[in-house]
Amino acid sequence: MNREETLERLGSQEEWDILVIGGGASGLGICLDASSRGYRTVLVEQSDFTKGTSSRSTKLIHGGVRYLEQGNITLVADALKERGRLVKNAPGLVHPLRIVIPLYHWWQVPYFGTGLKIYDHLSGRFSLGRSKVMGREKTLKEIPALKSEKLSGGVLFYDGQFDDSALAVALAEHSAREGAAVLNYARFTSFLKEDGKIRGGIVEDVLGGKKYEIRSRAVINAAGVFGDEIRQMDNSDYPNMIVPSQGAHVVLDQKFMPGDIAMLIPRTDDGRLLFAIPWKGKLLAGTTDIAVDTIKLEPRPMEEEIDFILAHLGRILKKAPVRSDVLSAFAGLRPLLKSGKGTGTASLSRDHQVKIDASGLVSVLGGKWTSYRKMAEDAVDKTARAHGLPIRKVQTMDYKLDAPASMEGSGNLADSLHPSYPVSRQQVVDAVREEMACTVEDFLSRRIRLLLLDARAAVEAAPAVAAIMAEELGRDQDWVDAQVREFTTLAEGYM
């Protein structure tokens, strides 16, 4: 992916079939689905790919044990099928993960054991492994870090694990190979209309300031938590359909729960599930579920969210983590669909909806990472029918995805840009040349995940990263200094 070449394409007055607004999971999934079918597709993202919600997940590709308990069988079954497809189609990006539910009341063992057998059944031929009920000693053998007092046993089951931003970059790269124009730091500012019907939009290059008129037969709004804002650009009278919910995570040293197995705490004080999973040599724990009034591109975890996660880990682990043990803390906003059911965000559906307004604007609202491919298929099918595009068969069922180049580190600390983490010069170069990394944050937060893994280490690596990026991008020392300052300020919110 080359940003300057993509900008030239935007300025060439080329007419497109589909303009996609949003570079998160749903937008990038739609872009690959549409371009692989042969539709002339362009995607624009106001910041970097997955800057918002889609880089801040729990890093799980899963059917949703909690959704099964809520009785949402269809959502779970569809997600389990998509989980199986992803493990098969993107083995370098998604892999099976063993998860143990430790149980401290005798009745929970048959309850969760039976529930997970249903989970197994729904996965069918896409199963990643069969669940099993374990006794107390076997549960402690799997997770020695657990407190043993009052432990009744546990249930082992399988789900998928991934790096959300890496999968997103892979989707962007493959879309570009299929002929799509994919562009980050391109803010959608207004619609082009003829006789009340949308015929494209105006997009501003955030880095260069130039505006581009993009004409397209259809426009798909895949802006996540900003979806209502895009719809209201079309018609200010449209009511909000999205309820933003904040989910926070903390990252700890893996000494608190060594090994390659994850843990699921089945009941928190607010009725949610809490995961603790091994991820890139650290322990990632979360998440929370809190309704928020303000939608931000860079949300911050609340102190009470961090305390909530640490408190629940402390109840169940022998070594209780405290605030000073947190290496990084981050938060994201879920774009939940508004519903008349329930009083809290935990009760709102994680399913998606494709809405087509009178102007022809197609909006994809709600959803989650696991189902991104199915959401994209649904959106492109409905867009093609609504806008008279030639009907073409979906191509992504068995579409193979490979990992981005920047994921491939040397593993050699002697040549690293940081003394404790293997970050190579070549990774920075690959991220700039091939993956449209434009800022130090793009690289340290999303091309590699150092900001999320260890915020202080990321700050320490920032000057070296900025210097290499400046060479690649043709920037001066003032740019380097500004990038380091901005990244340091940003990283303080993760510490």
Side-chain angles (χ1 to χ4, degrees), residues 428 432 464-477 479-480:
V428 183
V432 173
V465 170
I468 297 169
M469 293 188 76
E471 290 178 24
E472 289 296 312
L473 295 168
R475 308 295 188 184
D476 59 16
Q477 187 61 42
W479 183 89
V480 171

Side-chain angles (χ1 to χ4, degrees), residues 21 40 56-57 64 151 176 191-192 201 262 271 305 339 360 380 432 461 481:
I21 305 169
R40 296 166 299 175
R56 301 160 189 266
S57 73
L151 181 68
F191 289 102
L192 295 173
E305 290 180 289
S339 168
V380 175
V432 173
D481 295 341

Side-chain angles (χ1 to χ4, degrees), residues 171-245:
L171 293 173
E173 289 184 326
H174 282 274
S175 295
R177 292 173 196 171
E178 295 289 351
V182 183
L183 190 66
N184 58 0
Y185 293 99
R187 183 184 295 115
F188 185 88
T189 61
S190 62
F191 289 102
L192 295 173
K193 288 188 175 183
E194 294 175 4
D195 300 322
K197 298 294 184 181
I198 289 174
R199 296 291 183 259
I202 304 296
V203 171
E204 180 183 6
D205 174 15
V206 174
L207 303 181
K210 184 177 178 179
K211 291 189 176 182
Y212 296 83
E213 184 178 284
I214 301 176
R215 294 201 164 270
S216 63
R217 295 176 65 179
V219 177
I220 301 180
N221 166 21
V225 290
F226 297 97
D228 284 331
E229 180 181 322
I230 298 297
R231 287 189 71 229
Q232 288 158 7
M233 284 185 187
D234 175 26
N235 187 330
S236 60
D237 292 333
Y238 286 149
N240 288 341
M241 296 183 66
I242 291 170
V243 178
S245 164

